[in-house]
């Protein structure tokens, strides 16, 4: 069966390779690896997989054997030749005035291939450089452009924390990093605080992010109203690592205490205690509707007045005053009619 190992090349880059289990490879050993059409003298970092299937190992370089003392001497000699090739390449780049920065040069173990890494702001047309440099060195040439993170990983350095750079010490993959990770860790968003030596966002923002997200679950936010033994107050500051919270009390003054000592939090809705649901027996509801009297009620005095009114022939009551007024009008009209007849007869 085959196992997969992570190895480091002489130029600082890493790659995976497989080896048969018959070869006793341990982390820290130097081995001879066959890569494409050349041999490489590499260092084994760690084992990444055991009993790997053939479909995967066929796409990886193969570790042939463990390096000997003679192989180490050959590798040291190749390092001296690589420095000479680096100086030659720098002179040609300066002569051709190409906008590129060469980082290092390394020979393969059999000295059939020389690899030169460089950085540049954009795309560079180095076809003429490859032609001239490969002719001057007398071997195949591989020019590789890398990013600023890879450059910092290769060159190394000391971070602001006083430790060796994470990318140079143990990080081997550069994942995407965004500003939201810095916000989740309560860091100032000034470039000098969240940027590393390379000028990009710090790599530690990525691999520490999950831990800060987990710690934030038990911490109140800034400006949140909380309650403690000394009263209510708003969160003025907090420390994620120590879980300490500083409150500005409503009565005046400040108090610093552990997040577990907070009694009550008012973030949106206050947390409600869990209620136990008990099943109650159904209650029968009875509705009472009083009887409705459809006949209208008539007051007593109104009933007496209706009885005293005389009835007309059509069944409707009459008013005496109205009847008198009508009779007087009829009499007056009759008199006027008779007077007109008399006057017309005299003429």
């Amino acid at each position: 069966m085959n196992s997969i190992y992570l190895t480091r090349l002489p130029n600082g880059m890493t790659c995976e390779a497989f080896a048969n289990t018959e070869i006793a490879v341990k982390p820290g050993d130097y081995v001879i690896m066959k890569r494409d059409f050349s041999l490489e003298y590499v260092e084994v970092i760690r084992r990444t997989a055991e009993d790997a299937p053939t479909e995967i190992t066929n796409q990886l370089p193969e570790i042939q054997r463990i390096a000997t003392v003679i192989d180490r001497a050959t590798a040291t000699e190749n390092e001296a030749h690589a420095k000479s090739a680096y100086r030659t390449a720098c002179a040609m780049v300066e002569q051709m005035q190409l906008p590129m920065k060469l980082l290092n040069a390394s020979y393969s173990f059999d000295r059939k291939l020389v690899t030169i890494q460089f950085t540049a702001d954009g795309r560079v047309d180095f076809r003429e450089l490859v032609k001239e440099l490969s002719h001057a060195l007398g071997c195949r040439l591989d020019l590789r452009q890398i990013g600023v993170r890879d450059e910092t990983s290769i060159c190394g350095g000391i971070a602001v924390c006083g430790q060796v750079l994470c990318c140079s010490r143990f990080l081997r993959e550069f994942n995407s990093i965004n500003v939201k990770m810095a916000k989740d860790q309560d860091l100032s968003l000034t470039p000098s605080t969240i940027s590393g030596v390379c000028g990009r966002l710090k790599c530690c923002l990525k691999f520490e992010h999950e831990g800060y997200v987990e710690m934030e679950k038990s911490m109140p936010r800034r400006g949140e109203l909380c309650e403690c033994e000394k009263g209510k107050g708003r969160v003025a500051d907090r420390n994620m690592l120590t879980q300490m919270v500083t409150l500005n009390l409503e009565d005046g003054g400040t108090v610093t205490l552990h997040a577990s000592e907070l009694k009550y939090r008012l973030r949106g809705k206050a947390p409600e205690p869990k209620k136990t649901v008990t099943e109650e027996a159904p209650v029968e509801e009875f509705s009472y509707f009083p009887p409705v009297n459809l006949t209208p009620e008539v007051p007593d005095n109104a009933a007496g007045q209706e009885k005293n009114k005389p009835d007309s022939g059509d069944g409707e009551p009459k008013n005496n005053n109205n009847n008198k007024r009508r009779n007087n009008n009829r009499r007056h009209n009759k008199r006027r009619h008779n007077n007109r007849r008399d006057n017309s007869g005299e003429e």
Side-chain angles (χ1 to χ4, degrees):
M1 300 299 293
N2 298 325
S3 299
I4 300 178
Y5 297 89
L6 184 66
T7 62
R8 181 184 290 111
L9 298 172
N11 55 12
M13 302 300 290
T14 59
C15 71
E16 288 186 338
F18 76 95
N20 196 293
T21 53
E22 297 178 357
I23 305 175
V25 179
K26 301 184 299 297
D29 292 343
Y30 287 89
V31 296
I32 303 299
M33 178 184 69
K34 183 178 181 181
R35 185 184 183 191
D36 295 334
F37 303 100
S38 60
L39 298 177
E40 297 287 350
Y41 179 84
V42 297
E43 178 186 4
V44 177
I45 300 176
R46 64 177 182 272
R47 180 166 55 186
T48 58
E50 297 182 5
D51 300 336
T54 308
E55 293 79 7
I56 299 178
T57 56
N58 289 339
Q59 303 175 2
L60 300 176
E62 179 184 2
I63 297 177
Q64 294 185 344
R65 57 184 174 84
I66 297 178
T68 60
V69 179
I70 300 176
D71 297 333
R72 177 60 183 173
T74 304
T76 304
E77 184 180 355
N78 291 339
E79 291 177 2
H81 286 282
K83 293 180 181 179
S84 176
Y86 176 76
R87 290 191 295 268
T88 303
C90 290
M92 288 189 176
V93 168
E94 185 178 357
Q95 181 180 359
M96 296 181 181
Q97 298 181 356
L98 296 176
M100 54 192 303
K101 175 185 175 182
L102 301 183
L103 298 178
N104 55 27
S106 61
Y107 272 98
S108 61
F109 182 73
D110 52 8
R111 211 179 297 176
K112 294 182 179 179
L113 175 67
V114 58
T115 303
I116 299 178
Q117 295 177 332
F118 71 95
T119 58
D121 295 335
R123 297 179 62 88
V124 181
D125 186 7
F126 50 79
R127 289 175 293 181
E128 187 67 24
L129 175 64
V130 173
K131 185 186 300 183
E132 295 293 335
L133 191 57
S134 60
H135 179 73
L137 300 178
C139 62
R140 293 178 56 194
L141 180 64
D142 184 14
L143 275 175
R144 294 187 179 183
Q145 183 175 359
I146 61 176
V148 290
R149 291 183 183 273
D150 296 316
E151 176 187 1
T152 308
S153 175
I154 294 172
C155 298
I158 304 298
V160 293
C161 59
Q163 300 289 332
V164 180
L165 294 176
C166 299
C167 57
S168 178
R169 184 172 41 168
F170 62 91
L171 285 183
R172 297 293 173 259
E173 296 179 359
F174 298 102
N175 299 319
S176 60
I177 307 172
N178 50 48
V179 181
K180 183 179 180 300
M181 297 179 181
K183 294 181 180 179
D184 294 340
Q185 300 177 25
D186 287 347
L187 296 177
S188 175
L189 300 183
T190 55
S192 60
T193 304
I194 61 178
S195 299
V197 178
C198 59
R200 301 292 191 270
L201 292 176
K202 292 181 179 180
C203 299
C204 56
L205 295 177
K206 173 63 178 178
F207 63 83
E208 292 180 355
H209 182 251
E210 295 182 0
Y212 276 93
V213 171
E214 189 66 25
M215 288 187 292
E216 203 271 340
K217 294 180 180 179
S218 59
M219 294 285 291
R221 298 178 182 176
R222 284 186 174 87
E224 185 178 342
L225 182 62
C226 300
E227 184 178 359
C228 62
E229 295 180 354
K230 297 184 179 181
K232 293 183 179 180
R234 293 195 176 274
V235 178
D237 193 11
R238 63 179 186 175
N239 192 319
M240 301 285 285
L241 296 177
T242 60
Q243 297 283 295
M244 300 301 292
V245 180
T246 301
L247 296 181
N248 288 335
L249 300 178
E250 294 180 350
D251 300 336
T254 59
V255 59
T256 302
L257 69 166
H258 197 268
S260 60
E261 300 179 19
L262 297 176
K263 292 183 179 180
Y264 198 56
R265 298 184 188 178
L266 300 175
R267 181 190 297 177
K269 293 184 178 180
E272 298 181 356
K274 296 183 179 179
K275 298 181 180 180
T276 57
V277 180
T278 58
E279 296 183 358
E280 298 180 356
V283 180
E284 297 182 359
E285 297 181 357
F286 298 95
S287 59
Y288 173 74
F289 297 95
V292 180
N293 187 8
L294 299 178
T295 59
E297 296 180 358
V298 181
D300 296 338
N301 56 357
Q305 293 177 3
E306 292 294 334
K307 292 180 181 179
N308 295 330
K309 288 183 179 180
D311 295 338
S312 61
D314 55 357
E316 295 180 356
K318 287 185 177 180
N319 193 342
N320 294 330
N321 295 329
N322 293 336
N323 292 335
K324 291 179 179 180
R325 190 179 295 112
R326 290 176 185 174
N327 292 332
N328 293 332
N329 290 335
R330 289 176 184 175
R331 291 173 184 174
H332 180 70
N333 291 334
K334 188 174 181 179
R335 289 177 182 176
R336 291 179 61 185
H337 181 68
N338 293 333
N339 292 334
R340 285 179 183 177
R341 287 180 64 184
D342 295 339
N343 293 332
S344 60
E346 293 177 358
E347 291 176 0

